[in-house]
Amino acid sequence: MGIVAVLMLPLLLLGISGLLYIYQEASRLWSKSAVQNKVVVITDAISGLGKECARVFHAGGARLVLCGKNWEGLESLYATLTSVADPSKTFTPKLVLLDLSDISCVQDVAKEVLDCYGCVDILINNASVKVKGPAHKISLELDKKIMDANYFGPITFTKVLLPNMISRRTGQIVLVNNIQAKFGIPFRTAYSASKHAVMGFFDCLRAEVEEYDVVVSTVSPTFIRSYHVYPEQRNWESTICKFFCRKLAYGVHPVEVAEEVMRTVRRKKQEVFMANPIPKAAMFIRTFFPEFFFAVVACGVKEKLSVPEEG
């Protein structure tokens, strides 16, 4: 009996591995079919996350419209995508110069996209501008610029495309947001305020357009880290240890977020929050024990102010 059990264990592991492989392949094919031939607009496509979203959706056979405020960056991304793709299975991306903080040109760009393809199936609002500093040292002009880029820009682009989605009774809008839409973090007043505002807009919009079969989704990671912040490849124990430490100390990688955006589109999820246990615990404490949360955050600010800055 003991020998039979020993022999069955490898077979069981092999069977589980086979099922996982089949599931992953089926998910990959399902993801491709969900975006194949779809017109997908990605704002700030030249950012780390924008590039990964472009790669994932381009491989899935989407008709990409890549928006960015730097033409050289867009051309570089275009060259990267077309150099590795199969021309028989992919479409040539369209490049559009767009700065979402320049509200005056956002409507014209959105209309240009509609005139080109006749519709937009999926809009990925990815653009974001950050600023860090004490509230009294951030000028109102900079506050307005952050609000234009993070709030007025995305909603202006969305409002131009939305009537077409409603009339066709199909479409999906994905907002890539941030944990700071859930609770504020010191020294990021303008950024946090813009993220709160845009989250509120799309939460309301979700309910308004549900009857037209238009899906509104939000994907909120803690923050998106650099491409190069991965643990060194050493022995197994060290790698596992660093894996858990990284999950506690760092945000999520652009590749992870891009893949989650694809899953969100495929499954038509309404809200996704990507975070390790510490931010999730902070959200829980902020909701149910706000006074304790505010006290802890205030203590952190006092400690930071008590440390003399270099230079």
Side-chain angles (χ1 to χ4, degrees):
M1 185 66 181
I3 296 177
V4 174
V6 171
L7 293 176
M8 286 295 293
L9 183 59
L11 293 176
L12 180 62
L13 293 175
L14 183 62
I16 293 173
S17 300
L19 290 174
L20 288 174
Y21 175 77
I22 293 172
Y23 173 76
Q24 290 174 350
E25 286 299 302
S27 297
R28 182 177 62 82
L29 293 175
W30 187 15
S31 295
K32 286 189 174 182
S33 65
V35 300
Q36 194 167 22
N37 296 322
K38 301 288 188 182
V39 178
V40 179
V41 178
I42 302 175
T43 61
D44 196 14
I46 58 177
S47 65
L49 174 58
K51 291 177 182 177
E52 291 302 327
C53 285
R55 176 185 60 81
V56 170
F57 281 86
H58 188 250
R63 299 173 183 266
L64 284 184
V65 180
L66 305 177
C67 304
K69 56 185 178 181
N70 181 284
W71 188 254
E72 289 75 17
L74 287 172
E75 288 183 327
S76 176
L77 176 58
Y78 176 92
T80 300
L81 293 175
T82 54
S83 65
V84 298
D86 184 349
S88 64
K89 298 180 180 179
T90 57
F91 295 92
T92 303
K94 176 180 175 60
L95 306 183
V96 177
L97 200 61
L98 172 66
D99 181 0
L100 279 180
S101 64
D102 185 1
I103 304 302
S104 61
C105 72
V106 173
Q107 289 187 346
D108 293 336
V109 170
K111 290 176 181 177
E112 177 188 342
V113 173
L114 283 177
D115 291 341
C116 179
Y117 287 103
C119 69
V120 169
D121 297 296
I122 301 166
L123 168 62
I124 301 176
N125 282 308
N126 168 57
S128 183
V129 175
K130 301 177 182 178
V131 64
K132 181 180 179 181
H136 65 281
K137 292 186 178 180
I138 302 296
S139 67
L140 286 174
E141 182 181 358
L142 184 53
D143 283 334
K144 185 179 182 300
K145 182 177 180 180
I146 297 298
M147 192 62 74
D148 283 344
N150 297 351
Y151 176 73
F152 286 108
I155 73 165
T156 302
F157 207 109
T158 299
K159 284 188 172 187
V160 176
L161 301 182
L162 191 58
N164 182 270
M165 292 184 176
I166 291 175
S167 65
R168 295 170 59 237
R169 300 190 71 87
T170 184
Q172 185 166 3
I173 301 165
V174 181
L175 170 70
V176 180
N177 211 19
N178 188 275
I179 186 178
Q180 293 182 58
K182 298 292 185 179
F183 57 82
I185 298 177
F187 305 110
R188 291 170 175 83
T189 50
Y191 179 74
S192 184
S194 67
K195 291 302 180 180
H196 273 74
V198 76
M199 175 68 84
F201 177 89
F202 282 99
D203 279 353
C204 295
L205 182 65
R206 180 183 295 114
E208 292 181 18
V209 299
E210 183 178 3
E211 63 175 307
Y212 303 108
D213 297 322
V214 176
V215 179
V216 176
S217 307
T218 55
V219 178
S220 300
T222 47
F223 65 91
I224 301 171
R225 67 173 179 265
S226 167
Y227 276 102
H228 310 294
V229 190
Y230 268 132
E232 299 176 4
Q233 296 298 322
R234 295 183 180 177
N235 59 70
W236 187 83
E237 293 82 1
S238 176
T239 301
I240 292 296
C241 177
K242 287 188 175 183
F243 171 81
F244 284 106
C245 289
R246 187 176 73 244
K247 287 297 181 183
L248 292 174
Y250 298 108
V252 288
H253 195 271
V255 173
E256 297 175 86
V257 183
E259 291 173 351
E260 185 56 54
V261 170
M262 174 64 89
R263 282 192 292 271
T264 299
V265 169
R266 185 186 75 215
R267 298 174 183 174
K268 298 188 183 300
K269 294 181 181 178
Q270 293 182 332
E271 185 174 41
V272 178
F273 183 59
M274 302 179 68
N276 61 56
I278 292 179
K280 288 182 178 180
M283 284 179 56
F284 177 85
I285 295 171
R286 168 66 179 85
T287 301
F288 295 101
F289 306 98
E291 292 184 359
F292 176 74
F293 176 84
F294 296 145
V296 171
V297 172
C299 287
V301 172
K302 290 176 182 177
E303 291 180 3
K304 182 177 179 62
L305 293 177
S306 66
V307 178
E309 296 183 1
E310 294 183 5

